[in-house]
Amino acid sequence: MSWGVKQEARPGRGVTHGPFSSIPGLEGCGHISLSASTVRLGDAITASCIIKQNCSYLGPESQILWKLGTELLPGGKQQRLPDGTQESIITLPHLNDPWALLSCYLRWSNSLQMVDQAELQAGYPPFTPHNLSCFMNLTTNCLTCQWEPGPDTYLSTNFTLKSFKSRGNCQTQEETIPDCVSEDGQSHCSIPRKHLQLYQTMGIWVQAENVLGTSVSPQLCLDPMDVVKLEPPTLWALGPSSEVAPPQPGCLQLHWELWKPSLFMEQNCELRHKPQLGEASWALVGPLPSRTFHYKLCGLLPSTAYTLQIRCIRHLLPGHWSEWSPSLKLTTPERAPIIRLDTWWRQRQLDPRTVDVQLFWKPMPLEEDRGQIQGYLVSWRPSGQLETVSPLCNTTELNCTFHLPSEAREVILVAYNTGGTSRPTPVVFLKSRGPPLGGLYTVAQDPHSLWVGWEPSKPQPRGYVIEWGLHTPSPSGSHKTWKMEHNGSIAGTLLQENIWPFQLYEITVTPLYQDTIGPSQHIYAYSQETAPSHAPELHLKHIGKTWAQLEWVPQAPELGKSPLTHYTIFWTNAQGQSFSTILNASSHGFVLHGLEPASLYHVHLMVTSQGGATNSTSLILVTLGLEESELYIILGLFGLLLLLTCLCGAAWLCCRPSRKNPLWPSVPDPAHSSLGSWVPTITAEEIFQLPSLWDPSVLPITKITVLEEEEKKPGPWESNDSSGTCGLPTLVQAYVLQGDPRAPSIQPQSQSGTNDQVLYGQLLGSPTSPVPGHYIRCDSTQPLLGGLTPSPKSYENLWFQTSPQRTPEPLVPNQEDDCVFGPLLDFPLLQGLQVHGVEGLGVF
């Protein structure tokens, strides 16, 4: 595509364009020159901008810039001419818009100032007009020609209708006819009657012209009278009259009037029609009679609205068809109903002479075009009165209730509309004398359909009547839906009309035989079953302290619902803890075990079937409390259990070896001890060396503690007499049977309740006396051991060996002491005691 440019002289323009501006001093400073005034779309165009020498804003460093629309164009050849003017030339290689604005700017004082502007236009040369046709309009007496101009050229294009008078095939031009120039945007033009020569040929063509060129259409040679176009006739519907028979179903009576100026011409006409509803295409009918102006159009759909139009042309002469007439909308007459009426009835004896009859019917179309039904008529002809017909019911409904004499056995039913009546349908009231059906069952297909099946009886019925509706206590059947099956060999049918979920339907099937009917059978069913309507009520039969016996009365099976699958009992205590159990559907009682005495419980029963579950009302019960004697027994048993627990704990603490020492001092058993195996516990302060005393043949002394003699003061719990205590000797020596005699150790603290040592023997003697020492055994009641001597350990099984070197001699006891004297040999703990080193023992 290229740009076409149309130059406009804009001397002295001061135009503000976008962010750029011009000042009065630039007026007349320069102008734009274009290479062409108009170019083809997509071609190149060259423009030059010249700035005069006398322009006060033209400096040696001045620069000319270009802008196309709002876009600044790069490039542009800058040159200074010998006369002092400055010129910039720019070439746009492709002009792709039909119109644009080209601007020339001069950079001055850090801004762009507009010098001049030019409009650019581009397009295409005119395309050749085609499909030129002309017709003679007898109403205006003008020859009107029309054509198709072709694609848009984006330029102003003029169309001129040119013609001349000629002879024969328009090879020679005799007289030129003035040109006819069409108005802007129109593609037709008319030559007045005064420039026409009737029955003389004319040469006609169309010339298209714009700034880029000229094109001419092919020449058309014609006689104006050969292209006459008549005005369309007027179409009417022929109304009913005594001379015209009423229209048949699917037919229309039409009449038309020709255009008055063309009444002297013989014309051929044609008709088109289509149904108003839908998207059917036009159906063409013709030619219509030329001498009579009415027509009977048949073959249409009855009771259907149609749109009709008509047009005409000169008969046996060349010319053009007229335009289609204005649309005429008509509706075809109705056809009498072509249907079969299925009927069913119910009778009820009102009194010995009158019967109440409720008649039902359904129209079953026998053809696709069955005809509209406006109403139904039920009539009765009394026996013996063939000419008398008594109408019983005239209704638009599909049922009717009327009274008949008891002897009446037949009525007549017809459907009617404006086109007539259907074939009469006799309704015979038969007696129920046929055999019943074998069995009746239903199956729910989906929430909106039910299958009902049966076992055909023998003889085989000729058909069946199936009725269904919501189960209500009302005996009226007007609310029921029904249908008739004419095939007696079938064993079931699908009910899909007026079926809804969660509704109980009563279904009735009646077999039809040749001259009688069979008894009706009923069944109840749901298309989608609901949960049981209610649950049995719980009753408390017996209750105890930790149990409760419940019972209920099972409900009778509900109509149309499946049997119960199971029961579920729920009970909840006062703390919110819930329990449940599932029972089979045959249960009618249950015993709750494991309840707490004097406690409140909420109990309810849930029944479940295939359709869901339903809860009963809640039952509140309170278990019995404990009696006073039972409470005493329980408390006694609890106290006895607590006492046994305490005794067992105490025995465990006492008998466990690791628990003996912390309770009282650990006193070695002299009978089960070995002084040689005793290891002294020696502290750092108590270590002393007696090398001269060490003799391997003598049993070692593990520890000697020397106490200075001091006066013993009686405690507050002791009496003044010394009956329970023997007199203390000069010094007392204590022994610790553990540790290494050569290693220091820390004496452990006693865990007994007192820090006093337990004195069970006294050693008497003097270090200077040659007589061996004697011991006094105390009569203190303090036990030596905490209990029975435990089994000796492995290192305590050595017995003391009696030293043969010395024989202890008895010592006369002091009568002031309550102690028993005896030799050292009687006291195994001191058998190995030898004292040497008097200087180390002081007064001892």
Side-chain angles (χ1 to χ4, degrees), residues 133-146 161 163 177 180 188-198 202 204 222-231 259 320:
S133 62
C134 300
F135 64 89
M136 184 66 186
N137 192 327
L138 299 181
T139 303
T140 60
N141 283 329
C142 295
L143 181 66
T144 301
C145 297
Q146 57 187 13
L161 182 65
S163 60
I177 300 176
C180 178
H188 59 85
C189 196
S190 298
I191 302 175
R193 172 68 178 81
K194 62 182 178 179
H195 300 303
L196 298 177
Q197 183 68 40
L198 299 181
M202 298 175 57
I204 304 173
L222 56 84
D223 182 349
M225 294 306 295
D226 291 341
V227 293
V228 172
K229 184 177 182 180
L230 303 176
E231 291 293 328
W259 179 51
H320 293 282

Side-chain angles (χ1 to χ4, degrees), residues 22-62:
S22 64
I23 59 177
L26 289 178
E27 295 179 359
C29 279
H31 64 278
I32 296 176
S33 299
L34 302 175
S35 60
S37 59
T38 304
V39 296
R40 291 177 62 95
L41 198 62
D43 287 353
I45 186 172
T46 301
S48 65
C49 182
I50 299 176
I51 307 298
K52 299 178 181 179
Q53 182 183 6
N54 58 358
C55 182
S56 59
Y57 299 97
L58 183 62
E61 301 298 331
S62 298

Side-chain angles (χ1 to χ4, degrees), residues 164-311:
F164 63 87
K165 296 178 182 179
S166 179
R167 298 287 181 180
N169 54 0
C170 302
Q171 294 296 326
T172 60
Q173 181 176 346
E174 294 184 354
E175 181 180 355
T176 302
I177 300 176
D179 294 341
C180 178
V181 180
S182 64
E183 298 181 1
D184 292 340
Q186 295 184 354
S187 58
H188 59 85
C189 196
S190 298
I191 302 175
R193 172 68 178 81
K194 62 182 178 179
H195 300 303
L196 298 177
Q197 183 68 40
L198 299 181
Y199 304 105
Q200 184 181 4
T201 58
M202 298 175 57
I204 304 173
W205 71 95
V206 179
Q207 177 180 297
E209 183 180 6
N210 62 17
V211 294
L212 295 182
T214 302
S215 63
V216 178
S217 70
Q219 181 176 288
L220 186 63
C221 185
L222 56 84
D223 182 349
M225 294 306 295
D226 291 341
V227 293
V228 172
K229 184 177 182 180
L230 303 176
E231 291 293 328
T234 303
L235 186 62
W236 303 94
L238 189 62
S241 64
S242 57
E243 300 176 358
V244 179
Q248 298 177 358
C251 294
L252 291 174
Q253 297 280 356
L254 302 177
H255 171 72
W256 64 92
E257 293 180 359
L258 298 177
W259 179 51
K260 290 183 179 181
S262 63
L263 288 177
F264 64 94
M265 301 178 184
E266 188 176 357
Q267 303 178 23
N268 290 336
C269 300
E270 63 183 11
L271 182 73
R272 69 177 184 178
H273 60 85
K274 69 175 182 178
Q276 294 184 16
L277 300 178
E279 299 180 357
S281 58
W282 291 97
L284 192 63
V285 179
L288 299 178
S290 59
R291 298 188 180 277
T292 59
F293 302 113
H294 54 83
Y295 181 71
K296 184 178 181 180
L297 179 63
C298 291
L300 305 178
L301 297 176
S303 187
T304 304
Y306 282 87
T307 299
L308 303 99
Q309 291 179 328
I310 191 172
R311 66 179 182 176

Side-chain angles (χ1 to χ4, degrees), residues 414-436:
V414 296
Y416 64 88
N417 59 18
T418 56
T421 62
S422 64
R423 295 179 56 183
T425 300
V427 181
V428 180
F429 305 114
L430 302 175
K431 296 293 184 180
S432 178
R433 297 173 181 172

Side-chain angles (χ1 to χ4, degrees), residues 18 93 111 115 128 174 195 199 326 433 495 551 577 580 790 821 844:
S111 64
V115 177
T128 301
E174 294 184 354
H195 300 303
Y199 304 105
R433 297 173 181 172
L495 309 180
E551 64 178 2
Q577 297 176 331
S580 64
F821 289 83
F844 189 83

Side-chain angles (χ1 to χ4, degrees), residues 650-669:
W652 177 78
L653 291 175
C654 294
C655 295
R656 187 174 182 183
S658 61
R659 297 294 179 178
K660 289 171 56 180
N661 292 339
L663 297 179
W664 46 75
S666 179
V667 179
D669 186 4

